[in-house]
Amino acid sequence: MKIIKFPFINILLVGLFLMQINIPIHAEAEGLPSYVKWGRIAMTKAQEKYPNSEVTDYLHVGKEDKKGTSVEKFKLIVKNDQKEIGVFVNLTFDTRTERLLSVDMEETKP
């Protein structure tokens, strides 16, 4: 009897195992700037507001620190049915806890 080996099954099993490991991922721990985390949230919020769209460009405009809160500012380009619009997204969060407090969006030219 001949044994048939399926190496892709081993790869699949290792991949499934690695997916189950719950390691917290923090942008700063990965060596990424802290705004990366907020940029992902900004893109998610834009996709919620424009559900049939795709974010095609992303710009971190800057960060504004206030007393107890911070505002991360982004400009996104959102494409829907061959139409592009610019969207300014401002994420206000508690500086100490990093809890998101508000999301403000304003459409602009791309």
Side-chain angles (χ1 to χ4, degrees):
M1 176 187 247
K2 186 175 181 181
I3 298 175
I4 301 174
K5 293 185 179 181
F6 296 101
F8 67 91
I9 291 177
N10 292 337
I11 294 169
L12 178 65
L13 291 174
V14 169
L16 289 172
F17 172 76
L18 291 175
M19 287 173 35
Q20 296 302 315
I21 297 175
N22 189 10
I23 301 172
I25 299 174
H26 300 285
E28 293 164 351
E30 295 176 353
L32 299 173
S34 64
Y35 68 80
V36 172
K37 167 188 170 181
W38 299 107
R40 290 177 182 153
I41 293 170
M43 289 190 291
T44 300
K45 295 296 184 181
Q47 288 173 330
E48 288 173 5
K49 184 172 181 177
Y50 305 97
N52 296 320
S53 300
E54 177 184 1
V55 176
T56 60
D57 201 2
Y58 160 105
L59 172 69
H60 178 241
V61 176
K63 181 179 180 180
E64 183 179 322
D65 291 316
K66 299 179 180 180
K67 188 173 184 175
T69 63
S70 297
V71 181
E72 287 283 4
K73 300 178 179 190
F74 300 90
K75 181 178 181 184
L76 308 177
I77 305 299
V78 178
K79 186 175 182 179
N80 183 5
D81 296 328
Q82 304 305 321
K83 180 183 175 187
E84 285 187 339
I85 58 169
V87 180
F88 285 113
V89 182
N90 293 337
L91 303 173
T92 303
F93 61 95
D94 183 293
T95 305
R96 186 178 52 81
T97 64
E98 293 195 345
R99 185 174 65 89
L100 184 63
L101 301 174
S102 68
V103 178
D104 299 309
M105 291 189 204
E106 181 182 339
E107 290 186 11
T108 186
K109 294 180 181 180

